[in-house]
Amino acid sequence: MKLYTRTGDDGTTGLFSGARVSKDHPRIEAYGTVDELNAVLGMVRCACDPGRDFERRLLGIIQSMQSRLFDIGADLATPEGAKQQSKIHRSDDRDESEAESWIDEVDGANPPLHAFIMPAGTELASRLHLARTGCRRAERAIISLSGIEPVGDPLLRYMN
């Protein structure tokens, strides 16, 4: 399989439903930004030391998050009502609960924050800050999409 198809040379791209939309459509912006977040999480994984207990656990969590982000990309690439939607996983309350349990696990031993944290410290910490900002950008793109097309509430909560 070649890395290029030439099907997008006219400025359009295909959705999982088979429909074609402009490459600047909010749906494309949303799942493209989720894809960027996934790439940044890959950079985070590269900075983790599997010899350290916390970072080994972080590797597992991030790998699971990356898999979930692929599901979210497919969700966003498949408009509601598309006949292919039975082939994808739509975000649900279990996904949100899983993410909250990861947050509680990772943040549970930290004292409450009373101020913003300056992005710095270690390479891993800085990459995590970059992932946080990428997630916020993806959330904004998904919210923009939700203003013109249906997006499931569980997906919006997950990205928040």
Side-chain angles (χ1 to χ4, degrees), residues 9-140:
D9 289 353
D10 64 352
T12 66
T13 192
L15 299 176
F16 192 52
S17 65
R20 295 199 66 79
V21 296
S22 174
K23 289 184 179 185
D24 67 353
H25 188 282
R27 184 170 294 283
I28 307 310
E29 182 66 28
Y31 74 70
T33 307
V34 167
D35 190 36
E36 289 177 34
L37 171 58
N38 209 337
V40 173
L41 286 174
M43 292 175 59
V44 169
R45 285 178 61 193
C46 290
C48 287
D49 178 355
R52 299 176 64 151
D53 289 342
F54 174 78
E55 291 181 32
R56 182 174 43 255
R57 178 61 185 129
L58 188 60
L59 280 167
I61 291 170
I62 292 173
Q63 186 173 4
S64 295
M65 282 182 177
Q66 287 183 291
S67 179
R68 186 70 198 99
L69 288 173
F70 274 123
D71 291 340
I72 289 170
D75 185 339
L76 291 168
T78 309
E80 286 190 11
K83 61 184 175 182
Q84 292 85 347
Q85 75 179 3
S86 65
K87 297 178 181 177
I88 64 160
H89 171 75
R90 296 274 188 208
S91 294
D92 58 32
D93 293 339
R94 290 173 301 193
D95 300 319
E96 179 184 1
S97 294
E98 181 179 48
E100 288 175 349
S101 71
W102 290 331
I103 293 167
D104 292 342
E105 178 183 347
V106 170
D107 191 48
N110 293 331
L113 290 177
H114 298 291
F116 289 105
I117 304 286
M118 188 67 69
T122 66
E123 184 171 347
L124 176 58
S126 295
R127 289 181 189 203
L128 284 164
H129 276 286
L130 187 59
R132 177 186 55 78
T133 63
C135 186
R136 290 290 168 242
R137 189 165 15 95
E139 179 187 20
R140 290 190 303 270

Side-chain angles (χ1 to χ4, degrees), residues 24-27 141-151:
D24 67 353
H25 188 282
R27 184 170 294 283
I142 293 167
I143 289 170
S144 292
L145 173 63
S146 75
I148 61 169
E149 293 187 21
V151 173

